[in-house]
Amino acid sequence: MGKGCVTATKYFLFLFNLLFFLFGVLILGIGLWFLLDNQSFVVVLNNSPPVKVACYILIGVGAFSMLLGLVGCIGAIYEIRCLLGLYFACLLLILVAQIAAALLTYFQKETLHQEMTRIVTKVLDNYPGNNSTTEQAWDFIQRTMACCGWNDRADWNGNPVIENSSKLLFPCSCQNVSLAAGNVSDSGFCEAQTPDWPVYDEGCASSVESWLLTNMAVVLGICLAVALIELLGMILSICLCRKVHKEDYTKVPKY
């Protein structure tokens, strides 16, 4: 490999690491979104420790990817073999971990579905109508998706407020606007005039799962793009590392 090819490889590697750094920013942003968003189904899922752990893992992977991209940029520009070797090894470990996580998620789909059902059932059973963050998120879901309960409206029958009340209470956010009489409340419990609640008949499971799959496709698309950049970065780093015969630390800027 001539000097011109080495120079080209060096700058291509720098460019890939810059992209890798930016994708790390994206992954970090997705993790923070899942953890902090108060207007989506993620708030309901945050009651599950595994989901919180997954959010923190995304944040950690994003931050580590940013750091690794910075290391790769420095190693490429200043042709430091130890940094290039470290960069290659870390990329290999990350790629293996990503493949393992993807396979685990694929083969645990049924378990994930059961966990989602358990979490939502717990939210419905413990819904006291005091306008907490989790309740606001679930009310928002039922209003915007025009649904009631997880599988259907009968999921609310286990709620102690509804069971123990002498009135015909039902969740206000379930109320079918076309059947509503007078003002429609956004949260808490409303009183029905008859045992037949004026609510949506369809459960939220299909709509929520469709929302999750849509957002998961975005996440998987970003992860796939990152994996391709990682693979190209590994190829370029090992090629450049083999052609750098000695370290020249005088190139490294001193502060």
Side-chain angles (χ1 to χ4, degrees):
M1 184 184 292
K3 184 176 180 181
C5 290
V6 172
T7 302
T9 302
K10 178 172 69 173
Y11 285 105
F12 270 119
L13 184 58
F14 175 84
L15 177 61
F16 279 119
N17 277 288
L18 181 60
L19 292 175
F20 191 68
F21 178 87
L22 295 176
F23 276 114
V25 173
L26 280 177
I27 293 176
L28 178 64
I30 289 171
L32 290 173
W33 170 54
F34 280 169
L35 193 64
L36 303 176
D37 186 16
N38 290 327
Q39 292 293 329
S40 71
F41 186 66
V42 176
V43 177
V44 179
L45 290 181
N46 275 345
N47 288 318
S48 172
V51 174
K52 284 190 175 181
V53 170
C55 292
Y56 288 121
I57 288 174
L58 280 175
I59 293 172
V61 168
F64 183 71
S65 298
M66 292 168 61
L67 178 62
L68 192 58
L70 185 61
V71 168
C73 286
I74 295 173
I77 288 298
Y78 298 108
E79 301 179 10
I80 303 175
R81 294 191 69 187
C82 62
L83 288 183
L84 291 172
L86 177 64
Y87 172 75
F88 175 84
C90 290
L91 280 184
L92 181 60
L93 289 175
I94 291 176
L95 192 59
V96 171
Q98 286 175 341
I99 294 173
L103 291 175
L104 182 63
T105 302
Y106 179 79
F107 288 111
Q108 295 295 320
K109 288 188 294 185
E110 186 60 32
T111 302
L112 291 174
H113 177 77
Q114 293 175 359
E115 178 69 9
M116 286 172 57
T117 302
R118 185 193 67 79
I119 294 169
V120 174
T121 301
K122 184 178 179 182
V123 169
L124 299 185
D125 290 345
N126 296 330
Y127 184 101
N130 58 12
N131 210 30
S132 66
T133 302
T134 302
E135 291 176 16
Q136 288 177 9
W138 186 248
D139 288 335
F140 177 79
I141 290 165
Q142 292 190 138
R143 286 196 310 272
T144 56
M145 294 184 177
C147 56
C148 190
W150 183 242
N151 297 306
D152 53 45
R153 56 194 287 182
D155 292 339
W156 280 99
N157 291 337
N159 183 277
V161 176
I162 294 176
E163 279 186 324
N164 300 328
S165 176
S166 59
K167 301 178 181 179
L168 298 174
L169 298 181
F170 68 92
C172 296
S173 57
C174 278
Q175 189 161 325
N176 190 331
V177 178
S178 62
L179 302 176
N183 294 329
V184 179
S185 178
D186 290 338
S187 61
F189 295 101
C190 295
E191 185 176 357
Q193 302 302 315
T194 65
D196 186 21
W197 295 352
V199 299
Y200 299 106
D201 294 320
E202 185 180 354
C204 299
S206 57
S207 299
V208 167
E209 288 178 355
S210 176
W211 179 88
L212 288 174
L213 287 174
T214 300
N215 286 278
M216 187 60 67
V218 175
V219 174
L220 290 177
I222 293 173
C223 290
L224 179 61
V226 171
L228 291 175
I229 291 175
E230 288 170 354
L231 189 59
L232 288 170
M234 289 170 61
I235 295 172
L236 290 174
S237 64
I238 199 65
C239 290
L240 183 59
C241 189
R242 291 177 59 189
K243 297 304 176 182
V244 176
H245 298 292
K246 64 179 181 177
E247 313 286 4
D248 186 2
Y249 293 106
T250 60
K251 296 181 180 180
V252 181
K254 295 179 176 58
Y255 300 98

